[in-house]
Amino acid sequence: VGCWRTFSYSLALNMIGPVLILSLFVAAAASGQGYLISQEEFSAIQGVESGGCRDPLTAVGDSGTSIGPYQITRGYFSDAASFNPSLLNGGNTWESTKGPGSLEFSQMVMQSYSNRYCTEARLGREPTFDDFARMHNGGPNGHRNPNTLEYLERVKSFLNEEQQLYTGSADCSQAPQMEQENHGSRNQGMNVLLLFILVLLVTFAAVS
């Protein structure tokens, strides 16, 4: 009996190692590594998001809901941080994606977002930069949203250019100014529509 017990313990110990390694392998495969974003691709996204700003690091858009060089929203940050809690080390918050040091930190946030959503396990195929860029713009399912295609083309126009940080002349540090720039074409369209309605009213009054 003693020999059998010793053999059983020895067999159990010998099995624990391989089983534990296999479990870790399965867990890693299930979580998966998201699309690995290159520096060139980070720069291309920044070119679209804040490339027209005098200081992209302090850019504020969408009435204050998108901030920093990559215009990251609070929800985007929360998704990334819940998947990778180490982003919160040192007291980092959503606001850390704006201001000094925000370029590198935002890139960590974006890679974590990719690791959560832009994976082979989730997409059923190998993810691409196109997938991630569209998710960055349209959320976890942005790669399937046709409204993100125009954004993707704008991002691609910045690829293959050797530049780390794109800058412009606009002051994007205040939300109202950013909003005016983003929605100027919409306001112009509204003015044209109002003018058309006014012409119709005058014509109708003249006929009457």
Side-chain angles (χ1 to χ4, degrees), residues 38-53 56 69-70 129 133 150-168 181:
S38 70
Q39 187 57 56
E40 180 186 16
E41 291 163 345
F42 276 125
S43 296
I45 292 177
Q46 183 271 317
V48 173
E49 296 290 356
S50 61
C53 301
Y70 299 101
F129 174 62
E150 181 183 356
Y151 175 85
L152 175 62
E153 291 307 311
R154 292 170 60 202
V155 169
K156 285 184 173 181
S157 70
F158 282 89
L159 288 173
N160 303 319
E161 296 188 20
E162 298 179 1
Q163 190 152 342
Q164 295 296 312
L165 186 68
Y166 292 93
T167 60
E181 180 180 346

Side-chain angles (χ1 to χ4, degrees), residues 12-41:
L13 288 174
N14 288 334
M15 290 179 65
I16 286 175
V19 169
L20 183 58
I21 292 173
L22 179 61
S23 299
L24 292 174
F25 177 80
V26 171
S31 61
Q33 168 71 41
Y35 178 79
L36 189 60
I37 312 160
S38 70
Q39 187 57 56
E40 180 186 16
E41 291 163 345

Side-chain angles (χ1 to χ4, degrees), residues 50-193:
S50 61
C53 301
R54 187 181 308 129
D55 182 6
L57 301 187
T58 62
V60 178
D62 300 324
S63 299
T65 61
S66 301
I67 60 175
Y70 299 101
Q71 293 294 281
I72 291 175
T73 65
R74 191 181 297 273
Y76 186 113
F77 177 80
S78 296
D79 279 359
S82 62
F83 181 81
N84 179 15
S86 68
L87 291 172
L88 302 175
N89 291 350
N92 286 321
T93 65
W94 169 60
E95 285 80 5
S96 303
T97 61
K98 172 179 174 284
S102 61
L103 192 69
E104 294 78 10
F105 180 68
S106 294
Q107 291 176 2
M108 293 171 58
V109 173
M110 292 165 69
Q111 186 59 58
S112 294
Y113 194 85
S114 177
N115 291 346
R116 178 168 187 171
Y117 293 117
C118 197
T119 66
E120 184 172 359
R122 183 169 182 267
L123 301 186
R125 56 174 172 75
E126 185 175 352
T128 66
F129 174 62
D130 288 15
D131 294 318
F132 175 75
R134 296 175 69 186
M135 288 181 188
H136 182 77
N137 177 243
N141 296 314
H143 61 296
R144 295 200 299 257
N145 187 341
N147 293 329
T148 62
L149 289 172
E150 181 183 356
Y151 175 85
L152 175 62
E153 291 307 311
R154 292 170 60 202
V155 169
K156 285 184 173 181
S157 70
F158 282 89
L159 288 173
N160 303 319
E161 296 188 20
E162 298 179 1
Q163 190 152 342
Q164 295 296 312
L165 186 68
Y166 292 93
T167 60
S169 59
D171 181 5
C172 306
S173 60
Q174 301 296 325
Q177 293 173 342
M178 175 71 86
E179 279 299 285
Q180 184 177 0
E181 180 180 346
N182 288 344
H183 300 298
S185 59
R186 181 182 300 176
N187 293 336
Q188 183 178 2
M190 287 296 297
N191 290 337
V192 172
L193 178 60

